[in-house]
Amino acid sequence: MMAIAETDRGVAGPAGNSSDLSWPDFLDFQKNCTLFDAFLVDRIMGTTLSIGDRAERTTGSIVSANYFHALGVRPILGRGFEPAEDVGRNAHPVTVISYQMWKERFHGDPGIVGKRRCSTVCRT
């Protein structure tokens, strides 16, 4: 959990670190809490990005499906995450890349949307 910049909304998780919050606990908070507009998950980690026949390590985040909606932002191109895309039978990996990565690694190609890239897990 986090504070949202330039608002009085949001609150930090335990000691500013939500790594102690399990996924089932997050789902319970999200479902039952009426005190907050939204809860979101953001876990920063290393990942592998495949570009053509080469792969490189990069930093990424695993986030809850409501991530962009809770922050009030929309991707410039493509889409964010669909509701419940991170739960149960609907769960599957989806990647949203930053503007900087799109410009630098993919040369601003709008055709990248919907392309399948594989690292340890395939993502669309």
Side-chain angles (χ1 to χ4, degrees), residues 8-60:
D8 58 357
R9 298 172 30 206
V11 64
N17 181 354
S18 60
S19 64
D20 295 334
L21 182 67
S22 70
W23 186 253
D25 286 343
F26 163 73
L27 293 177
D28 285 344
F29 277 125
Q30 190 177 40
K31 179 180 175 184
N32 299 317
C33 185
T34 58
L35 183 60
F36 297 102
D37 294 329
F39 283 94
L40 61 89
V41 171
D42 180 358
R43 181 174 179 149
I44 299 171
M45 60 182 294
T47 188
T48 302
L49 174 68
S50 298
I51 304 172
D53 61 350
R54 69 172 221 222
E56 61 184 74
R57 293 288 292 163
T58 189
T59 301

Side-chain angles (χ1 to χ4, degrees), residues 28-116:
D28 285 344
F29 277 125
Q30 190 177 40
K31 179 180 175 184
N32 299 317
C33 185
T34 58
L35 183 60
F36 297 102
D37 294 329
F39 283 94
L40 61 89
V41 171
D42 180 358
R43 181 174 179 149
I44 299 171
M45 60 182 294
T47 188
T48 302
L49 174 68
S50 298
I51 304 172
D53 61 350
R54 69 172 221 222
E56 61 184 74
R57 293 288 292 163
T58 189
T59 301
S61 292
I62 295 177
V63 300
S64 52
N66 69 330
Y67 184 79
F68 293 111
H69 179 74
L71 294 176
V73 297
R74 295 181 49 144
I76 294 171
L77 189 64
R79 67 174 181 87
F81 306 112
E82 299 293 328
E85 202 164 42
D86 57 1
V87 179
R89 291 185 177 178
N90 294 326
H92 63 280
V94 175
T95 300
V96 176
I97 61 174
S98 70
Y99 180 81
Q100 180 180 356
M101 180 174 283
W102 177 60
K103 292 299 265 184
E104 291 177 3
R105 301 287 189 253
F106 299 100
H107 309 292
D109 178 10
I112 193 69
V113 174
K115 299 287 183 179
R116 194 163 179 89

